[in-house]
Amino acid sequence: MRYEETEDDSVSPTDLSELLKEGTKESHDRAENTQFVKDFLKGRIKKELFKLATTALYFTYSALEEEMDRNKDNPVFAPLYFPLELHRREALIKDLKYFYGEDWEEKIQCSEATQHYVDRIHHVGQHEPELLVAHAYTRYMGDLSGGQVLKKVAQRALKLPSTEEGIQFYVFDNISNAQQFKQLYRARMNALDLDKNMKERIVEEANRAFRFNMQVFDELDETGKSLTEEAQDGGFPVHDGKGDLRKCPYYADRLGKAGPGCPYHAAVALAKQPLVQLILAACVAVAAGAAAWYVM
């Protein structure tokens, strides 16, 4: 699909995409500031917890895509039906097989918070399909945006293969340009025949979807507190070099032990050497020249 030929850049404050963007801003910020998400973004994610998060996503997307399939010919949702580009259930099954093995179905179960989310999605799909737009928007647009950041963090922190096993959920093979696809998706939403009242209800439902997600995050955070350190498989914690050096997990782990210091501070010290700075400057100059040539 050639996304760039189907998008109109002009939007109005009354368009559904703009109403959703503005109407869910507070919920979006709150979701990003849940402890689970903050720890995840810092690379502090236990492998067992990541597996449980993947399980929650599997049940959520199984419900969502079942209802999307049910309403694929319904004019209130059909324009947003992109199974080839967006559906995540099969990708999540690959991830679960990677983490749990071929008998993955026998080893997972739907958590309480996830079940509440799933129940709401089924209710909407079967009784108020217009509101299904809110759940699809909340999940897929997030996956194509911040989800791509989480993909890189998880791959690095959990030392997952470079071939992307375990993070297939974040891989959209049939979308060549995520930004253009998101523009197309928003244009399709704006073209839906919806009155003001229904648009407001969709925004309200999107905020409800965010709350369900936050409840799942909080549940995962509580579960993570009970996991043993042996379950931690996230590699070295992230340290930005700010504040008290003694609070750096890498440094604290080695207090009283022989061995190298914090890699961040070691790298900063090395970068201050005149010879290293000269080499770095030369590399930057070469890279800049190559970039200029490529643009021309």
Side-chain angles (χ1 to χ4, degrees):
M1 182 176 296
R2 302 183 66 181
Y3 313 131
E4 66 274 14
E5 294 183 358
T6 57
E7 165 60 11
D8 180 1
D9 288 332
S10 61
V11 292
S12 163
T14 59
D15 283 340
L16 181 58
S17 66
E18 289 300 296
L19 292 172
L20 281 166
K21 178 182 177 181
E22 293 301 318
T24 62
K25 187 175 293 185
E26 182 179 345
S27 292
H28 189 275
D29 290 343
R30 288 176 57 202
E32 284 187 341
N33 282 285
T34 57
Q35 194 60 47
F36 174 78
V37 174
K38 288 194 294 185
D39 286 345
F40 195 153
L41 288 170
K42 292 177 182 177
R44 295 200 293 259
I45 180 71
K46 298 175 183 178
K47 189 171 184 178
E48 287 302 313
L49 198 59
F50 186 77
K51 290 164 63 175
L52 292 176
T54 302
T55 299
L57 289 170
Y58 166 75
F59 286 109
T60 300
Y61 280 86
S62 293
L64 179 58
E65 288 162 11
E66 178 182 339
E67 297 307 329
M68 289 168 65
D69 288 342
R70 185 195 308 276
N71 289 282
K72 64 182 179 181
D73 297 320
N74 190 323
V76 301
F77 184 78
L80 300 180
Y81 185 66
F82 292 97
L84 185 63
E85 290 87 353
L86 292 179
H87 280 197
R88 300 287 85 202
R89 184 175 182 274
E90 293 305 313
L92 284 161
I93 289 176
K94 292 179 183 178
D95 290 339
L96 291 172
K97 284 182 178 179
Y98 173 79
F99 287 120
Y100 290 103
E102 292 297 324
D103 57 344
W104 61 274
E105 288 182 277
E106 301 172 9
K107 297 178 179 178
I108 67 170
Q109 60 181 359
C110 188
S111 70
E112 182 178 354
T114 305
Q115 188 62 56
H116 292 321
Y117 194 2
V118 165
D119 291 343
R120 179 60 185 175
I121 291 172
H122 282 309
H123 172 83
V124 164
Q126 295 170 29
H127 302 288
E128 302 175 277
E130 300 91 343
L131 301 184
L132 197 59
V133 174
H135 291 276
Y137 165 84
T138 303
R139 288 302 336 172
Y140 294 116
M141 294 300 98
D143 299 335
L144 289 169
S145 300
Q148 298 308 297
V149 176
L150 296 178
K151 169 190 171 184
K152 295 177 182 178
V153 173
Q155 190 171 37
R156 181 177 65 252
L158 300 179
K159 301 178 182 177
L160 297 174
S162 59
T163 46
E164 300 181 328
E165 283 97 338
I167 51 172
Q168 283 295 299
F169 167 72
Y170 301 104
V171 179
F172 290 81
D173 287 328
N174 295 310
I175 295 180
S176 57
N177 186 308
Q179 186 60 35
Q180 289 179 354
F181 183 84
K182 287 188 291 184
Q183 290 175 345
L184 167 65
Y185 197 89
R186 294 187 187 103
R188 291 284 187 92
M189 285 199 305
N190 295 338
L192 294 173
D193 185 16
L194 304 169
D195 59 26
K196 179 182 178 181
N197 178 63
M198 182 52 66
K199 289 179 181 179
E200 291 175 351
R201 291 188 62 205
I202 290 174
V203 173
E204 180 182 350
E205 187 68 22
N207 281 303
R208 186 195 294 259
F210 270 108
R211 289 196 295 272
F212 280 120
N213 278 286
M214 285 186 276
Q215 289 165 8
V216 173
F217 293 155
D218 290 343
E219 183 182 62
L220 287 168
D221 186 51
E222 285 301 311
T223 301
K225 294 176 183 178
S226 66
L227 294 176
T228 62
E229 286 302 311
E230 286 73 25
Q232 175 77 45
D233 191 23
F236 295 127
V238 173
H239 174 49
D240 59 6
K242 300 177 181 177
D244 189 346
L245 172 63
R246 291 170 297 177
K247 294 181 181 179
C248 169
Y250 188 97
Y251 180 85
D253 185 55
R254 283 159 175 73
L255 283 176
K257 300 179 183 178
C262 175
Y264 175 86
H265 291 277
V268 170
L270 182 61
K272 291 181 178 179
Q273 297 298 318
L275 179 59
V276 174
Q277 290 179 343
L278 181 62
I279 294 172
L280 288 174
C283 291
V284 170
V286 171
W293 175 85
Y294 182 81
V295 171
M296 292 171 61

